[in-house]
């Protein structure tokens, strides 16, 4: 398996622009997670899905952030409008129902100027 | 609210040394604890997972222990190698497989 795939790997945008991050989980995994990593706050869970349904979005920082999972093989995290403080590395991870371990993608480094 | 602390924040050792990384957490009601490795520009790789009912797990040169009642875990790396250089993250699972709370990590550098 190719593992969790994220795109783009790097994104540079200007404040106020819409940003869309993409994730393809490992085939057959039932859970998908979005995390954000910053120097100040470390690695934080933003939202997770089970069978394409959002289960817990309590970590989503503001209404500017939204996430969708239209099917089992694709998820998006959207920021609209983006702000400089959104600059971070965003990770996607997935997990199989029968296992404890989450498998992480390589991350998307977002820079908002 | 669960808080996870890792000590030290950074560590530099010569090749061949044995070393210990520490992790503490404030809420002992955890399902399990994991140690991850993060290399620059890459995602996280799970190294060891200890269930709340277990005391330790071993994989090769790595040994992780868990004292749930005192809220502590250690990661022991034997005979360190330059390839072990990375950031090591401790995470406690507050909900079966789904709610990981991470520490800030320990940056390890093994000098050849």
């Amino acid at each position: 398996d190719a593992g969790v795939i994220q795109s783009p790997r790097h994104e540079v945008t200007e404040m106020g622009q819409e940003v869309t991050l993409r994730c393809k989980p490992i085939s057959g995994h039932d859970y998908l997670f979005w995390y954000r990593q910053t120097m100040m706050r470390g690695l934080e869970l933003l939202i997770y899905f089970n069978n394409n349904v959002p289960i817990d979005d309590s970590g989503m920082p503001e209404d500017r952030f939204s996430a969708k999972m239209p099917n089992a093989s694709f998820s998006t995290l959207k920021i609209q409008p983006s702000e400089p403080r959104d600059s971070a590395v965003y990770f996607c991870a997935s997990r199989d129902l029968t296992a404890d371990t989450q498998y992480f993608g390589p991350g998307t480094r977002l820079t908002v100027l | 609210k669960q808080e996870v602390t890792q000590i030290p924040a950074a560590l530099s050792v010569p090749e061949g040394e044995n070393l210990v990384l520490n992790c503490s957490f404030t809420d002992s009601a955890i399902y399990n604890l994991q140690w991850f490795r993060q290399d620059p520009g890459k995602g996280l790789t799970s190294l060891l997972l200890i269930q709340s009912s277990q005391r330790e797990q071993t994989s090769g040169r790595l040994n992780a222990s868990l004292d749930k009642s005192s809220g502590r875990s250690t990661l022991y790396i034997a005979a360190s190698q330059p390839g072990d250089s990375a950031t090591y993250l401790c995470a406690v699972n507050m909900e079966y497989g789904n709610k990981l709370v991470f520490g800030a990590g320990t940056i390890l550098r093994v000098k050849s």
Side-chain angles (χ1 to χ4, degrees):
Chain A
D1 198 311
V4 176
I5 299 172
Q6 292 187 246
S7 65
R9 293 294 311 277
H10 303 273
E11 176 80 29
V12 180
T13 190
E14 294 189 346
M15 182 174 62
Q17 296 298 306
E18 177 179 294
V19 175
T20 299
L21 311 181
R22 297 172 176 78
C23 175
K24 176 179 169 56
I26 293 173
S27 177
H29 280 194
D30 308 278
Y31 291 86
L32 183 138
F33 307 83
W34 282 102
Y35 290 87
R36 178 173 68 174
Q37 186 175 39
T38 62
M39 289 293 293
M40 290 295 295
R41 301 176 64 87
L43 198 62
E44 301 174 292
L45 176 66
L46 299 177
I47 184 171
Y48 77 88
F49 295 82
N50 179 22
N51 292 326
N52 314 337
V53 176
I55 302 300
D56 188 336
D57 65 355
S58 60
M60 296 286 262
E62 299 173 37
D63 291 344
R64 299 184 295 106
F65 287 70
S66 62
K68 294 182 179 180
M69 192 164 186
N71 58 62
S73 59
F74 183 66
S75 177
T76 60
L77 178 67
K78 185 174 294 186
I79 308 172
Q80 166 63 18
S82 58
E83 297 183 4
R85 59 196 169 114
D86 301 331
S87 297
V89 180
Y90 291 81
F91 289 101
C92 177
S94 68
R95 178 175 82 83
D96 179 78
L97 174 65
T98 60
D100 292 337
T101 301
Q102 296 181 20
Y103 294 84
F104 283 74
T108 294
R109 181 174 295 277
L110 173 65
T111 302
V112 183
L113 303 174
Chain B
K1 178 185 174 184
Q2 177 73 271
E3 293 184 0
V4 180
T5 303
Q6 291 188 244
I7 294 174
L11 183 63
S12 182
V13 300
E15 181 177 5
E17 271 204 9
N18 303 324
L19 58 99
V20 175
L21 308 182
N22 297 289
C23 172
S24 62
F25 47 95
T26 54
D27 185 349
S28 62
I30 65 172
Y31 279 84
N32 57 49
L33 182 145
Q34 284 186 261
W35 284 92
F36 290 87
R37 169 181 173 142
Q38 184 174 23
D39 294 283
K42 296 186 179 180
L44 282 66
T45 301
S46 180
L47 297 173
L48 289 165
L49 185 151
I50 311 176
Q51 299 293 349
S52 60
S53 59
Q54 296 176 322
R55 297 286 292 181
E56 65 178 327
Q57 281 287 336
T58 298
S59 176
R61 295 183 293 109
L62 305 180
N63 176 276
S65 68
L66 173 64
D67 185 342
K68 183 181 166 185
S69 60
S70 67
R72 296 181 181 181
S73 175
T74 62
L75 179 66
Y76 175 82
I77 302 178
S80 59
Q81 302 171 358
D84 295 330
S85 299
T87 298
Y88 290 81
L89 293 161
C90 168
V92 296
N93 193 348
M94 303 305 297
E95 178 185 306
Y96 178 70
N98 295 334
K99 298 275 273 188
L100 290 177
V101 179
F102 285 85
T106 294
I107 301 172
L108 172 65
R109 181 187 172 206
V110 181
K111 299 172 288 186
S112 57

